[in-house]
Amino acid sequence: MKALPWKPVLRAVANTAITLAIVILLWQALISFTSVSPYVAKGPAEVWAFLFTAEDAAANRAELAPLLAQTLQDAALGFVVGIVIAIVLAVLFSLSRAVEAGVMPLALLLRSVPLVAIAPVIILITGRGTPASVAVIGSIVVLFPALAAIMFGLSRASAESLAVVHVYGGTRLTALRKVNLPGALPSLFAAARVSVPAAVTGALLAEWLSTGQGIGGMIQKFTASARFEELWASVAIITIVTLLLYNIVQIAESVVLSRMGMTGSLT
């Protein structure tokens, strides 16, 4: 049994800390060196006090916690649907060039249209405030980068390994299952890492335009009612959580690929 690869884990933790420090410094610089009114702009210290040291900090956290939970639920829905569709399409494209030639132009056409422009059409079809609208909007954001990464991984299979499968009478599907898919694991994890922030973005967009729930739905309400501490705290929380999720996927990638002997894929 291989030991846990602590070096990549510690590297991911260090990267998270460094990135978080940079974000906080840039945030504070934005507040300090711009002419935005202090009534509107809230810095890291004010958000920290709002969430942890103020007299009503517990009530503030209790108010924002359900919003975060809803946004993460919506992001998870878009992430899962988008990744699953990307994997299925990548496999179909690998098995049939005709399917790729027929579907890929439609996918590229859909990708070329800004999501904000087609979101009203999606909401009209799926219904405003429904889980289907969240799933479709979130999956579109996730789908295309994930599809490109997974297709790239499937195309990098060893020619020698594929030849061995064919020599022993294996079909194209067998080669895909035994060679292409295992070899595409680094690309699959790369797609997952890229898709995590994309899924959160898609969830926020769906909540803003469709459901009116979660952080995405409340940001507009916080702004309209001049609740700027809640606004900045919500943005800070979802940014930090997205950063943590990204690095959790990176740690999982390091552990899984190390245990499978794909140490050359770890960076």
Side-chain angles (χ1 to χ4, degrees):
M1 182 176 180
K2 294 186 177 180
L4 185 68
W6 287 109
K7 187 175 179 180
V9 173
L10 294 176
R11 186 187 303 122
V13 173
N15 290 339
T16 303
I18 293 171
T19 304
L20 184 59
I22 292 174
V23 169
I24 293 175
L25 288 174
L26 292 176
W27 179 7
Q28 185 59 56
L30 176 68
I31 302 299
S32 302
F33 300 108
T34 61
S35 58
V36 182
S37 169
Y39 175 72
V40 175
K42 306 299 179 182
E46 293 167 296
V47 170
W48 178 267
F50 176 79
L51 291 173
F52 298 106
T53 61
E55 292 183 1
D56 54 351
N60 296 333
R61 294 195 302 272
E63 178 187 12
L64 297 181
L67 304 181
L68 175 63
Q70 182 63 53
T71 296
L72 291 180
Q73 178 181 324
D74 293 337
L77 179 61
F79 176 85
V80 171
V81 173
I83 285 290
V84 169
I85 294 176
I87 294 174
V88 171
L89 288 179
V91 170
L92 290 177
F93 291 170
S94 298
L95 292 174
S96 173
R97 296 300 178 188
V99 174
E100 180 180 3
V103 176
M104 184 59 78
L106 298 177
L108 294 176
L109 178 62
L110 181 63
R111 183 69 180 91
S112 64
V113 180
L115 184 56
V116 175
I118 63 173
V121 178
I122 296 173
I123 295 170
L124 182 64
I125 295 173
T126 58
R128 178 175 294 276
T130 62
S133 64
V134 176
V136 173
I137 294 175
S139 63
I140 289 176
V141 178
V142 170
L143 173 61
F144 299 101
L147 178 60
I150 296 170
M151 287 183 63
F152 175 75
L154 292 176
S155 67
R156 295 187 63 192
S158 168
E160 291 80 6
S161 299
L162 292 174
V164 169
V165 173
H166 292 311
V167 165
Y168 282 91
T171 63
R172 178 69 186 95
L173 186 60
T174 303
L176 185 68
R177 180 168 55 87
K178 292 184 175 294
V179 179
N180 295 87
L181 286 175
L185 271 179
S187 295
L188 180 58
F189 275 110
R193 278 190 282 116
V194 173
S195 298
V196 165
V200 174
T201 302
L204 293 173
L205 182 61
E207 290 169 349
W208 174 44
L209 295 175
S210 177
T211 67
Q213 300 176 349
I215 291 177
M218 287 302 297
I219 282 178
Q220 186 176 7
K221 298 176 183 177
F222 287 152
T223 304
S225 57
R227 299 168 63 185
F228 296 114
E229 289 182 329
E230 288 89 340
L231 172 64
W232 285 85
S234 299
V235 173
I237 289 171
I238 196 62
T239 300
I240 293 171
V241 169
T242 302
L243 177 63
L244 292 176
L245 291 175
Y246 177 92
N247 282 278
I248 288 172
V249 175
Q250 191 172 42
I251 292 172
E253 174 185 9
S254 300
V255 172
V256 172
L257 296 186
S258 176
R259 291 187 180 280
M260 294 189 65
M262 298 181 178
T263 53
S265 302
L266 303 176
T267 56

